[in-house]
Amino acid sequence: MSEKIFKDLSDFIGTHFIYTYDNGWEYEWYAKNEHTVDYRIHGGMVAGRWVTDQEANIVKLTDGVFKITWTEPTGTDVALDFMPNERKLHGVIFFPKWVHDHPEITVTYQNEHIDTMLEAREKYATYPKYLVPEFAVITYIGSAGIDNDDVINEAPYKGMTDSIRNGSFYDANYRHKKTNI
């Protein structure tokens, strides 16, 4: 079986990734459509956080290289450069001071707690920003398709990324296998 070759945005959009930064933080990320991303955080300062339908700017820099940027309701800015053909990326996360000082506030399903994020952003200090510039190794690439709400549909838990990588999390149509029913 040959591995998918990424060239254009049409190759990238609809793809689901798991990657581990050099600092050990593990993330799961999905290019849901041309302007929206979903993600779960499995390791690091805000492990347990998950987000769906985050508006983002997604562009092709050159063949096989893609840049994605967004600002979260927390005030955190993110810039990711994906090089999936090399199974690597470079990311910079610009955490506001309050997220660095109180990461537990953000460890939730953000979409249900936007007011909490906005309130914390106003209540606590924003600067100085805590920058996390890191390279990462892509450990999983899946073709989930566009606007697949089964990709990121529950909170992260221990062993989830291993289940995804070993093929026991999604069925042949990239739908979440409901093992707890």
Side-chain angles (χ1 to χ4, degrees):
M1 177 173 145
S2 64
E3 194 166 305
K4 177 179 182 178
I5 300 299
F6 292 82
K7 182 178 178 187
D8 295 315
L9 276 176
S10 61
D11 303 318
F12 186 74
I13 302 301
T15 306
H16 177 212
F17 297 92
I18 299 172
Y19 52 91
T20 304
Y21 285 111
D22 288 348
N23 65 7
W25 296 4
E26 186 177 46
Y27 280 60
E28 181 185 357
W29 188 91
Y30 168 50
K32 191 171 193 173
N33 56 48
E34 293 179 351
H35 57 85
T36 309
V37 302
D38 295 352
Y39 56 94
R40 279 188 277 241
I41 303 171
H42 297 274
M45 188 176 88
V46 290
R49 175 178 170 70
W50 64 297
V51 175
T52 57
D53 300 317
Q54 172 65 58
E55 288 290 320
N57 182 269
I58 303 172
V59 298
K60 171 185 162 181
L61 295 178
T62 191
D63 285 356
V65 180
F66 309 93
K67 178 180 273 310
I68 302 87
T69 55
W70 71 88
T71 299
E72 300 173 352
T74 63
T76 301
D77 298 308
V78 179
L80 303 176
D81 296 314
F82 276 85
M83 296 154 278
N85 296 327
E86 288 81 33
R87 295 188 78 89
K88 63 183 178 179
L89 67 84
H90 184 269
V92 183
I93 308 168
F94 302 83
F95 288 111
K97 182 172 179 11
W98 81 264
V99 174
H100 186 246
D101 293 347
H102 306 284
E104 71 284 353
I105 295 171
T106 72
V107 178
T108 188
Y109 177 46
Q110 175 179 274
N111 299 53
E112 294 177 349
H113 302 280
I114 300 291
D115 289 344
T116 302
M117 302 302 143
L118 297 175
E119 180 182 301
R121 191 174 73 190
E122 295 301 317
K123 180 178 178 181
Y124 299 110
T126 301
Y127 293 98
K129 294 262 186 167
Y130 175 63
L131 269 59
V132 182
E134 291 283 335
F135 281 96
V137 174
I138 298 170
T139 61
Y140 174 85
I141 300 174
S143 295
I146 296 171
D147 292 323
N148 183 345
D149 289 329
D150 272 9
V151 179
I152 306 290
N153 66 354
E154 67 177 298
Y157 56 81
K158 185 174 177 53
M160 178 184 270
T161 55
D162 290 334
S163 294
I164 294 168
R165 281 189 288 263
N166 73 26
S168 64
F169 195 84
Y170 299 106
D171 67 17
N173 297 313
Y174 223 91
R175 299 292 178 226
H176 183 210
K177 293 179 183 177
K178 310 289 191 239
T179 56
N180 297 330
I181 24 182

